[in-house]
């Protein structure tokens, strides 16, 4: 059995791994004994500010999803991948802030120009029937780990 150990990513290594965007899993805190509400998402990442950007699709059948996104909940975002130097992962936690046209300040607009949020078509409805909303995560905490090697 292999024992895979990990070490923390430096800020530079973390920024390199996150790039300008990719995919991951976002989980919303839920009340009581309910499991977290978790969904795969695309993200954009701005290394200059350390903020993550998300585009959520809400369709006619997604009332529960809209309620969870609209409530002020703690979220955890996880992205991971096998790289040339082994497995890497980043976990960011905090609260989402919706980005609306009326509240779009120049700094956020500049940051959104620096990110790339992949468009991954995993919707139950045709994309033209969906409302897309943008959110920013200015994380309270970010941790990154990489595979350090293997031991037997």
């Amino acid at each position: 059995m292999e024992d895979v150990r990990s070490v923390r990513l430096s800020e530079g290594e973390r920024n390199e791994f996150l790039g300008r965007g990719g995919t991951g899993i976002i989980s919303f805190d839920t009340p009581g004994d309910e499991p977290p509400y978790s969904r795969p998402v695309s993200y954009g990442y701005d290394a200059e500010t350390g903020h993550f950007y998300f585009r959520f699709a809400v369709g006619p059948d997604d009332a529960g999803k809209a309620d969870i996104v609209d409530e002020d909940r703690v979220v955890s975002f996880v992205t991971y991948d096998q790289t040339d130097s082994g497995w890497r992962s980043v976990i960011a936690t905090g609260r989402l802030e919706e980005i609306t046209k009326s509240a779009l300040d120049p700094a956020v607009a500049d940051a959104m120009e620096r990110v790339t949020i992949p468009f991954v078509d995993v919707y139950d409805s045709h994309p033209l029937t969906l409302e897309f909303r943008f959110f920013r995560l200015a994380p309270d905490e970010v941790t990154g780990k990489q595979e350090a090697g293997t031991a037997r």
Side-chain angles (χ1 to χ4, degrees):
M1 181 174 174
E2 284 188 23
D3 180 19
V4 178
R5 299 177 191 277
S6 64
V7 295
R8 288 196 177 274
L9 291 173
S10 69
E11 183 178 347
E13 290 168 326
R14 186 178 68 221
N15 289 343
E16 177 189 342
F17 171 70
L18 292 169
R20 293 180 56 204
T23 59
I25 305 291
I26 194 163
S27 297
F28 293 80
D29 185 28
T30 54
D33 293 335
E34 293 182 44
Y37 180 83
S38 300
R39 293 294 178 260
V41 292
S42 299
Y43 74 91
Y45 177 69
D46 180 35
E48 196 170 301
T49 61
H51 295 170
F52 293 84
Y53 293 85
F54 302 96
R55 175 183 48 234
F56 295 145
V58 179
D61 300 326
D62 291 330
K65 180 180 179 180
D67 291 344
I68 286 176
V69 170
D70 287 339
E71 293 175 10
D72 185 28
R73 296 176 184 256
V74 174
V75 300
S76 293
F77 172 69
V78 179
T79 185
Y80 61 93
D81 199 5
Q82 172 97 32
T83 68
D84 291 339
S85 56
W87 283 98
R88 291 186 176 198
S89 65
V90 171
I91 301 172
T93 57
R95 295 180 188 276
L96 294 178
E97 172 189 355
E98 186 163 16
I99 300 169
T100 61
K101 288 181 183 179
S102 62
L104 188 63
D105 68 47
V108 172
D110 289 345
M112 290 190 74
E113 288 290 323
R114 292 188 294 265
V115 306
T116 302
I117 304 173
F119 189 81
V120 180
D121 188 359
V122 292
Y123 310 113
D124 292 334
S125 306
H126 191 283
L128 292 177
T129 66
L130 302 172
E131 171 193 357
F132 289 93
R133 296 168 59 191
F134 291 87
F135 292 84
R136 172 176 61 180
L137 172 61
D140 296 328
E141 183 177 6
V142 179
T143 58
K145 291 190 175 186
Q146 65 184 348
E147 186 177 338
T150 59
R152 294 196 189 273

